[in-house]
Amino acid sequence: MKPVGGRVHKKMATVAPDQLTDLFGPRSSIPVNTTTPSAIRGISRLRRINIPKKKPTNTKMCSSVDMMEDISSTIKDNQEDNVYECPFCFEKLKAPYPEELEKAIKEVKEKQRTYKEEQKKAYETKVAKERAEGRIYIEPLILKDAISEEDKKMVCNIHKMELEVKPLAKEKGYPETIEFEKVEMRINTFKEDLVDIIMGRTESDWLMEAKRTVEKIGLNKSRDTTQLINHFQNALPGYYGMKGADVMIKTLSQLFLDKELSKKTCWPLKPIEYIQRVLVPECGLRLIEQDMKVNKKEAKKIMKESIEYGKKYSL
């Protein structure tokens, strides 16, 4: 065709009516332009509509019991037959165990087993319910920790006592058990000795050491963090440990605070410092004398050597 006004007119392509019968039903005498974008999209859309959908294939669904067995098979108990890992400090403990420790381990293991079974049963019930509702995705089972913090600490304390503290006590001859509830009564039996120390009638090695420290480095510096830690270590009552020291401080405070202990009698220490740094070790010395049936010199040696034992015993 000749160009008109600078434009080229293309001849429209026509499609025979019988070619569109399947798509549009009855024949039409109207010519259809199949080259336009709208016509092409229409034909493509109809072809897509007429494509038969693929039927879903049946997949075998595992039962909740099978799922539980699969999950259970992936859960491994980290406790071997002859090795038990402390749930608190993660120390590996090898069998055979002392009677008290074995009893504690069995008790904790039984609690673990029972709690795991309860979780599994609850999960099976949940799976059955969700499948009945037609849910396809089901959350996997994640077992929660079956040991309480109290049980963890209980096992840890027992294994330290049975495997570390008691053998050391037996080796050194220290008491394997300490009756802390009787400490207050025992302190009252030598209360007058302590009064003599407070009033200056009897010398105390610990009071003399405190005075020398103040004279050497000054009162304020003697109370800095480093010095306080040193004072605390030196004043521990041997194998009575921190637990014993707490009982002694409480008893001594009731006996002497706001009474014999004053700024004048305690100088250069404060009353509570005097109790911690002077009277507590003096009490420890006398209690060890009674326990071990030794003199003061030997008792002082034992008290110094047994400080580490006392720390473990107080756990």
Side-chain angles (χ1 to χ4, degrees), residues 16-17 21 23 26 30 65 79 94 107 109 138 140 150 168 177 187 233 254 257-258 271 283 287 312:
T21 301
L23 296 176
I30 302 173
V65 176
Q79 312 296 357
K94 293 184 179 181
E107 181 182 336
K109 281 186 173 181
I138 298 174
E150 289 183 2
L168 181 60
T177 57
I187 288 175
Q233 293 290 338
Q254 292 173 346
L257 274 183
D258 300 324
C283 286
L287 292 172
K312 291 180 179 179

Side-chain angles (χ1 to χ4, degrees), residues 202-262:
T202 302
E203 285 189 349
S204 167
D205 292 342
W206 287 278
L207 178 58
M208 292 172 65
E209 178 63 28
K211 288 181 177 180
R212 281 196 294 268
T213 301
V214 171
E215 289 174 2
K216 184 177 179 180
I217 63 176
L219 185 59
N220 291 333
K221 196 169 182 180
S222 70
R223 288 173 177 157
D224 67 19
T225 305
T226 304
Q227 291 298 323
L228 288 175
I229 292 172
N230 291 335
H231 300 330
F232 175 77
Q233 293 290 338
N234 294 333
L236 281 173
Y239 55 69
Y240 279 84
M242 290 174 280
K243 186 174 181 179
D246 287 340
V247 176
M248 294 175 199
I249 290 171
K250 183 178 179 181
T251 302
L252 294 167
S253 297
Q254 292 173 346
L255 288 175
F256 301 121
L257 274 183
D258 300 324
K259 297 172 187 175
E260 286 84 358
L261 287 177
S262 62

Side-chain angles (χ1 to χ4, degrees), residues 175 182-191 193 239-240 282-296 298-300 302:
K182 293 184 178 180
V183 168
E184 181 179 355
M185 178 191 69
R186 292 176 65 187
I187 288 175
N188 276 284
T189 62
F190 49 78
K191 177 183 175 182
D193 290 354
Y239 55 69
Y240 279 84
E282 289 288 353
C283 286
L285 182 69
R286 285 160 176 76
L287 292 172
I288 290 172
E289 273 188 272
Q290 295 174 1
D291 294 337
M292 307 295 287
K293 297 178 174 55
V294 294
N295 57 35
K296 277 187 171 58
E298 188 64 25
K300 191 172 183 179
I302 292 172

Side-chain angles (χ1 to χ4, degrees), residues 160-174:
K160 287 187 182 298
M161 178 63 69
E162 296 294 327
L163 301 179
E164 296 179 30
V165 175
K166 286 186 177 180
L168 181 60
K170 190 174 182 179
E171 178 188 345
K172 298 289 186 180
Y174 307 146

Side-chain angles (χ1 to χ4, degrees), residues 61 126-127 129-139:
M61 299 293 288
K126 178 184 176 183
V127 168
K129 181 181 177 182
E130 291 183 352
R131 282 195 175 149
E133 294 172 352
R135 290 188 59 177
I136 297 175
Y137 173 75
I138 298 174
E139 292 181 1

Side-chain angles (χ1 to χ4, degrees), residues 165 168-169 174-176 239 306-313:
V165 175
L168 181 60
Y174 307 146
E176 291 187 19
Y239 55 69
S306 64
I307 285 176
E308 289 303 316
Y309 171 83
K311 290 178 182 178
K312 291 180 179 179
Y313 195 96

